[in-house]
Amino acid sequence: MSELKILAISGSLRAGSHNTALLRAARKHQPAGLDIEIYEGLREIPPYDRDLDNPQDRPAAVADLRRRVNGADGLLIATPEFNYSVPGTLKNAIDWASTDWTKEEGLPLHRKPVAILGAAPTNFGTVRAQLALRQVFLWTDSDVVVKPEVQVFRSHERFDESGNLTDEATIALLRDLLGALKTKTQAAVAAGTAAR
């Protein structure tokens, strides 16, 4: 079997984001058989507009995001927590990637395997944001990895000054999550259930 393509999306735009650093760590520690690509276009995604959400009128950044989601075998999403929930920029991108008003394109997120993780400097990490994100993916009928849950709390203590993940317990959890995503994605590809 060829390598499974995983599109990794950080919900943070911040240059020094620990969530983006988590995705870099995921690439470093990815198991054999996964090919993780980190998406870097979140800043370019405009606010969701139903009037433009069709193949002819979608902004180029949105069309590119949908193409990448469609082309991926699975998704890896690192979310910060803002006001007890998912950052608006991330939710907005998911909204753009979740639709098919024409009933001809297919739903990019339908049965797509998804793994969620997150980092925050607080004592509770991104517990609430991840819960909110799981509810979103319930509606899109995505196939979310249930365990392990990777809640990187007090994240400033787990990365070095260069943004490298140094905490061995977190690295072990990350590897377990990637292994679970690989297993779920292999099953989806074999069954032909993931939207492509």
Side-chain angles (χ1 to χ4, degrees), residues 3-9 34-39 64-76 107-114 181 185 188-189 193-196:
E3 285 191 320
L4 299 166
K5 295 169 60 177
I6 304 297
L7 182 65
I9 302 174
L34 287 192
D35 178 20
I36 297 175
E37 172 198 358
I38 298 177
Y39 175 70
D64 177 65
L65 171 65
R66 288 176 62 98
R67 180 184 58 77
R68 290 172 186 268
V69 170
N70 271 322
D73 297 305
L75 301 178
L76 177 66
L107 298 163
L109 296 172
H110 178 72
R111 304 309 301 156
K112 184 76 69 176
V114 179
L181 177 60
T185 305
V189 168
T193 56
R196 287 300 295 269

Side-chain angles (χ1 to χ4, degrees), residues 27-44:
R27 286 184 59 186
K28 179 179 178 181
H29 298 288
Q30 66 188 355
L34 287 192
D35 178 20
I36 297 175
E37 172 198 358
I38 298 177
Y39 175 70
E40 297 180 348
L42 191 65
R43 187 182 300 276
E44 313 309 318

